[in-house]
């Protein structure tokens, strides 16, 4: 780990080429999204269930739930779509399912860190709707529309990004870099030499 200039936004890692979205920018983005969610769900007498898709969304979820002021409950699912490397396999496997008896009274908001092919969220929206949720919407911190393989648009999104390999703020490469407090671009030699 290489620490350069002082200040939370400038803490660097030697495998990171550059910071794409700083901590301060992420905070502003999440504040804006939380206000949109508050606006849309305030006054509802139904249950708003924030559904975190493990593992990558856990950091975004933790910040988002603190900034939303309408009452929420939280739950978790784990699915896998990527293989061990940098590209999507296209397969969706449910590793941890959602077991609740009150789905018919839940407005589910699926919380994702990133949309790439769109297959994960497209699958999950359909799956949870069929399971009986009252409504299903989606929020993603990052969106790579240039990588879409299925037609999918999130209801709320943080930032549209180009097709770069990003890590940090929950996102990993081979399970590393999730704890970085910013979104950074990984040096190509890190994943081409493995
Ligand atoms: C990532 C990400 C999304 C999905 C997006 O999860 O968190 O769930 O891939 O890709 P898609 O739009 O092509 O379906 P990943 O499978 O890497 O698991 P992780 O969150 O545990 O890292």
């Amino acid at each position: 780990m290489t620490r350069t200039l002082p200040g939370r936004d400038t803490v660097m890692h030697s495998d990171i080429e550059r910071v794409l979205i700083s901590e301060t920018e992420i905070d502003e983005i999440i504040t804006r999204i939380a206000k949109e969610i508050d606006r849309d769900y305030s006054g509802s007498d139904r249950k708003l269930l924030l559904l975190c898709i493990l593992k990558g969304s856990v950091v975004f979820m933790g910040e988002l739930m603190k900034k939303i002021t309408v009452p929420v409950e939280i739950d978790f699912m784990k699915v896998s779509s990527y293989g061990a490397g940098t590209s999507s396999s296209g397969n969706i496997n449910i590793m941890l399912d959602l077991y609740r008896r009150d789905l018919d009274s839940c407005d589910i908001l699926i919380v994702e860190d990133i949309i790439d092919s769109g297959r994960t969220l497209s699958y999950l929206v359909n799956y949870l709707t069929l399971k009986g949720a009252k409504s299903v919407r989606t929020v993603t911190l990052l969106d790579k529309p240039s990588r879409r393989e299925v037609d999918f648009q999130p209801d709320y999104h943080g930032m549209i990004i180009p097709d770069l390999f990003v890590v940090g703020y929950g996102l990993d490469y081979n399970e590393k870099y999730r704890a970085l407090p910013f979104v950074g671009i990984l040096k190509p030699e890190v994943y081409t030499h493995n």
Side-chain angles (χ1 to χ4, degrees):
M1 175 88 66
T2 308
R3 286 176 187 270
T4 55
L5 299 170
R8 289 161 63 83
D9 282 346
T10 52
V11 176
M12 272 299 285
H13 187 293
S14 54
D15 291 346
I16 301 299
E17 190 167 86
R18 68 182 168 90
V19 173
L20 183 67
I21 315 174
S22 71
E23 268 190 278
T24 303
E25 289 170 318
I26 294 171
D27 188 69
E28 289 168 0
I29 287 168
I30 299 177
T31 299
R32 188 252 304 157
I33 295 173
K35 284 181 182 160
E36 292 172 8
I37 293 168
D38 277 344
R39 178 199 63 206
D40 292 351
Y41 288 91
S42 66
S44 168
D45 54 3
R46 296 203 296 263
K47 202 176 297 176
L48 175 55
L49 180 66
L50 300 181
L51 180 60
C52 175
I53 308 303
L54 300 169
K55 302 175 192 172
S57 306
V58 72
V59 184
F60 176 42
M61 172 82 160
E63 284 304 310
L64 183 65
M65 63 188 277
K66 287 190 291 183
K67 290 180 185 284
I68 292 173
T69 62
V70 298
V72 297
E73 293 190 14
I74 65 168
D75 225 314
F76 300 86
M77 285 184 73
K78 179 165 171 49
V79 300
S80 68
S81 70
Y82 280 17
T86 59
S87 63
S88 171
S89 69
N91 297 317
I92 309 297
N93 300 308
I94 295 182
M95 323 291 279
L96 173 66
D97 207 344
L98 179 66
Y99 297 103
R100 294 180 68 111
R101 294 183 176 176
D102 60 351
L103 276 182
D104 60 351
S105 64
C106 284
D107 288 319
I108 295 180
L109 182 57
I110 305 175
V111 179
E112 265 290 22
D113 53 337
I114 190 165
I115 306 178
D116 192 43
S117 71
R119 291 186 187 281
T120 302
L121 278 182
S122 179
Y123 175 87
L124 281 174
V125 168
N126 189 45
Y127 178 75
L128 293 163
T129 302
L130 289 174
K131 233 170 145 60
K134 189 81 180 172
S135 71
V136 184
R137 285 182 178 166
T138 59
V139 55
T140 187
L141 178 63
L142 306 175
D143 193 357
K144 280 186 185 174
S146 62
R147 298 267 304 170
R148 278 302 191 284
E149 294 171 15
V150 297
D151 185 22
F152 186 86
Q153 293 295 325
D155 296 285
Y156 308 92
H157 72 269
M159 184 176 271
I160 290 172
I161 62 169
D163 187 17
L164 299 166
F165 197 82
V166 289
V167 294
Y169 213 80
L171 290 102
D172 75 311
Y173 171 65
N174 284 349
E175 296 300 328
K176 293 171 69 180
Y177 315 109
R178 291 193 196 273
L180 292 176
F182 53 82
V183 175
I185 300 168
L186 199 57
K187 288 179 180 171
E189 58 263 36
V190 176
Y191 50 87
T192 52
H193 288 175
N194 284 332

